[in-house]
């Protein structure tokens, strides 16, 4: 796969609504200009991306879907037509139909769950197809009456051409907008894949294009299908959708060049071509959605196996495994690491006096507090019951003691929510040991045992303290 792609449509901070609406108007204006310059003389555009962009953005950013957004889009639509010489009447009629079509598609998609809209469910492609069909039909029905008025052609020809181009545009562009990476997305695992397998699927598309150029013929529309399916299985839904957009538009241009003119004279052939391109994109999109759903399910399963289901920190086995890797690395680099065992003081009394629900809430709160007090590279896990452990890589004994004291102090200072029952305050006892004190042969089990011994000394000497082993 082409290495990491930029995180499009993922602003680092919240954009003020007026700025967002102005940006939307400018984007629609620019997209309309692209479509206008793709118009054959005296008729509608061969490629009109504005409506699909509007639908994708309104669905992706629900807070944007307010009356000012529709007004901003209307301004962008009409302004583009007027600056390129269109009559007022035609600009208002056709762009009202554009807005109606995009709005119809938005009404179909707006109530769907977030995983579907992010193309992480197998049914996502079918919902997108339904929305594209509805949006295309509404827009075409609203705009086809302009054919005899402004283009001197039957309204049925405009209905056919409008519907087919909108269907194609929605199915090619909306998935790209919806699946574009977010800033908070986890890093892609494709970076761990050998370079050959990252570039092989997209290389197959280039090879298919070369073969199609050499062979040609009526079957050329399908030559790229194997490559697109391979990309859908190998890459993210966003990358797969982006490749489908590029390949399908290139395919349409290659078929149409010198053969078709996107006017009523070739309405039947153009309709067939655009529906064929739409179906060409639908297969890889469905595969990409199914692949994304499988990857998300595996990610959740992997997280559930490795993490404690109550507190969200690492489970015991995952902590020990990661601790072994860190110990091997940092002992080899001679910087060493520290291990601390943490026990919640008087936890049995919390369960006895306030119930196990209050005890669970206390554990979650303490785990979150400790995670905030630790460094980004530190590893926190739950050993069982009210006991936690943390591995602190690359620290000196003095630094490790300062971190442990920071954790203890953070827990002591935290104010707990007692409205649901439970204590208002809590403390922890900590046993700390550094690998340098136990020698180069010490393993994680040895470090944990030494830290546990120090923890029992801390509890014996009054709790709410750090004891170094």
């Amino acid at each position: 796969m082409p290495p990491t792609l930029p995180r499009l449509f993922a602003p680092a901070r919240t954009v003020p609504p007026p700025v967002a609406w102005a940006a939307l108007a400018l984007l629609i204006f620019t997209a309309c200009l692209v479509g206008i310059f793709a118009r054959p003389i005296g008729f509608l555009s061969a490629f009109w991306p504005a409506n699909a962009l509007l639908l994708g953005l309104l669905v992706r950013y629900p807070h944007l879907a307010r009356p000012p957004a529709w007004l901003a889009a209307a301004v962008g639509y009409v302004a583009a037509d007027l600056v390129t010489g269109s009559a007022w009447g035609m600009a208002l009629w056709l762009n009202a139909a554009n807005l109606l079509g995009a709005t119809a598609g938005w009404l179909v998609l707006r109530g769907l769950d977030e995983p579907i809209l992010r193309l992480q469910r197998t049914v996502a492609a079918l919902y997108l197809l339904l929305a594209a069909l509805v949006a295309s039909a509404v827009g075409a029905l609203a705009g086809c009456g302009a054919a005899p008025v402004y283009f001197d052609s039957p309204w049925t020809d405009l209905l056919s051409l409008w519907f087919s181009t909108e269907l194609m545009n929605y199915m090619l562009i909306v998935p790209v907008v919806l699946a574009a990476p977010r800033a908070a997305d986890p890093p892609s695992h494709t970076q761990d894949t050998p370079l050959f397998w990252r570039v092989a699927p997209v290389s197959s598309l280039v090879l298919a294009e070369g073969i199609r150029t050499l062979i040609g013929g009526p079957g050329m529309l399908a030559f790229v299908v194997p490559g697109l399916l391979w990309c859908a299985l190998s890459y993210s839904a966003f990358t797969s959708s982006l490749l489908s957009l590029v390949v399908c538009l290139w395919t349409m241009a290659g078929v149409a060049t010198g053969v078709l003119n996107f006017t009523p004279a070739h309405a039947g052939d153009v309709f067939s071509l655009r529906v064929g391109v739409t179906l060409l994109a639908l297969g890889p999109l469905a595969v990409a959605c199914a692949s994304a759903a499988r990857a998300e399910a595996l990610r959740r399963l992997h997280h559930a196996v490795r993490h404690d289901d109550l507190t969200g920190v690492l489970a015991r086995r995952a902590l020990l495994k990661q601790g072994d890797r860190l110990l091997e690395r940092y002992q080899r680099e001679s910087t060493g690491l520290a291990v601390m065992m943490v026990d919640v003081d008087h936890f049995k009394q919390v369960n006895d006096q306030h119930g196990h629900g209050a005890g669970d809430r206390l554990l979650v709160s303490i785990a979150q507090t400790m995670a905030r007090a630790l460094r980004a590279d530190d590893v926190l896990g739950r050993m069982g019951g009210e006991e936690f452990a943390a591995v602190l890589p690359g620290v000196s004994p003095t630094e490790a003691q300062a971190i442990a004291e920071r954790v203890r102090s953070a827990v002591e200072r935290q104010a707990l929510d007692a409205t649901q029952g439970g204590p208002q305050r809590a403390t922890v006892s900590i046993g700390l040991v550094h690998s340098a004190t136990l020698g180069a042969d010490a393993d994680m089990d040895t470090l944990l045992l030494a830290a546990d011994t120090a923890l029992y000394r801390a509890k014996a000497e009054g709790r709410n303290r750090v004891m170094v082993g």
Side-chain angles (χ1 to χ4, degrees):
M1 166 184 175
T4 306
L5 291 165
R7 295 185 177 274
L8 305 174
F9 309 112
R13 59 182 184 276
T14 302
V15 178
V19 176
W21 296 326
L24 178 63
L26 181 60
L27 179 64
I28 296 301
F29 175 81
T30 304
C32 288
L33 290 182
V34 171
I36 289 170
F37 292 131
R39 283 177 178 169
I41 296 176
F43 205 68
L44 298 181
S45 176
F47 175 64
W48 186 261
N51 300 349
L53 279 174
L54 177 61
L55 173 58
L57 291 172
L58 292 178
V59 172
R60 179 174 174 134
Y61 302 110
H63 61 277
L64 188 64
R66 297 179 181 177
W70 270 272
L71 179 60
V75 170
Y77 277 120
V78 175
D81 264 336
L82 294 181
V83 299
T84 53
S86 296
W88 268 99
M90 185 175 74
L92 293 176
W93 188 336
L94 297 183
N95 289 311
N98 288 329
L99 280 170
L100 281 173
T103 302
W106 173 76
L107 290 173
V108 172
L109 296 176
R110 64 170 182 164
L112 298 179
D113 295 336
E114 180 73 8
I116 295 177
L117 297 180
R118 297 194 63 179
L119 309 188
Q120 294 175 347
R121 293 292 184 270
T122 54
V123 298
L126 296 180
Y127 277 112
L128 285 181
L129 178 61
L130 174 62
L133 289 169
V134 171
S136 303
V138 170
L141 289 171
C144 65
V149 178
Y150 295 106
F151 303 112
D152 193 26
S153 63
W155 67 270
T156 52
D157 287 345
L158 183 56
L159 178 68
S160 167
L161 292 172
W162 189 309
F163 176 83
S164 62
T165 189
E166 285 298 270
L167 181 64
M168 181 188 71
N169 292 335
Y170 284 126
M171 290 303 295
L172 291 178
I173 296 173
V174 173
V176 176
V177 178
L178 295 183
R182 274 77 164 170
D185 285 348
S188 171
H189 295 295
T190 56
Q191 294 181 358
D192 301 327
T193 305
L195 179 61
F196 173 81
W197 293 110
R198 277 190 280 163
V199 302
V202 73
S203 299
S204 71
L205 290 178
V206 177
L207 178 61
E209 285 295 335
I211 295 174
R212 182 164 65 180
T213 301
L214 289 174
I215 298 177
M220 63 181 297
L221 194 64
F223 282 9
V224 293
V225 170
L228 286 175
L229 293 177
W230 191 5
C231 290
L233 289 169
S234 305
Y235 303 153
S236 68
F238 169 68
T239 304
S240 177
S241 299
L242 188 62
L243 289 172
S244 290
L245 171 64
V246 173
V247 169
C248 288
L249 291 182
W250 181 260
T251 299
M252 187 181 71
V255 173
T257 300
V259 178
L260 294 180
N261 187 8
F262 293 90
T263 63
H266 295 87
D269 292 335
V270 172
F271 180 87
S272 176
L273 171 61
R274 285 170 170 165
V275 172
V277 169
T278 301
L279 296 178
L280 176 64
L282 180 61
L285 176 61
V287 171
C289 292
S291 180
R294 175 179 173 276
E296 178 64 12
L298 289 175
R299 187 193 68 79
R300 290 178 180 273
L301 178 62
H302 182 66
H303 184 274
V305 169
R306 296 185 70 249
H307 291 77
D308 176 57
D309 60 351
L310 175 64
T311 62
V313 300
L314 287 178
R316 176 189 177 93
R317 181 175 295 182
L319 174 70
L320 294 177
K321 188 175 294 185
Q322 193 157 340
D324 284 333
R325 288 197 295 266
L326 290 172
L327 180 61
E328 180 182 358
R329 171 186 171 188
Y330 282 92
Q331 279 188 335
R332 187 171 61 248
E333 296 178 0
S334 302
T335 53
L337 53 73
V339 173
M340 65 181 195
M341 290 288 294
V342 183
D343 186 86
V344 181
D345 295 331
H346 305 295
F347 184 72
K348 186 177 184 302
Q349 295 180 15
V350 175
N351 280 337
D352 292 343
Q353 296 175 10
H354 304 284
H356 290 279
D360 288 347
R361 291 192 295 273
L362 176 62
L363 291 177
V364 171
S365 178
I366 288 177
Q368 293 172 345
T369 301
M370 290 193 296
R372 289 192 295 267
L374 292 170
R375 304 170 305 165
D377 293 336
D378 297 334
V379 181
L380 176 64
R382 184 183 178 193
M383 303 300 286
E386 68 272 25
E387 281 195 339
F388 296 85
V391 180
L392 317 177
V395 293
S396 66
T398 302
E399 292 170 334
Q401 189 168 356
I403 294 172
E405 181 59 34
R406 186 170 72 223
V407 170
R408 185 207 63 79
S409 177
V411 174
E412 183 183 30
R413 292 196 312 268
Q414 74 172 345
L416 301 173
D417 182 7
T419 58
Q420 295 180 310
Q424 294 182 344
R425 299 281 177 179
T427 61
V428 294
S429 300
I430 299 176
L432 178 69
V433 65
H434 195 279
S435 61
T437 64
L438 298 181
D441 295 332
D443 57 13
M444 274 301 296
D445 289 335
T446 304
L447 289 170
L448 286 169
L449 180 60
D452 199 45
T453 302
L455 169 63
Y456 276 100
R457 288 172 47 209
K459 294 171 72 68
E461 295 190 15
R463 296 183 171 86
N464 190 25
R465 65 190 65 227
V466 176
M467 189 64 65
V468 179

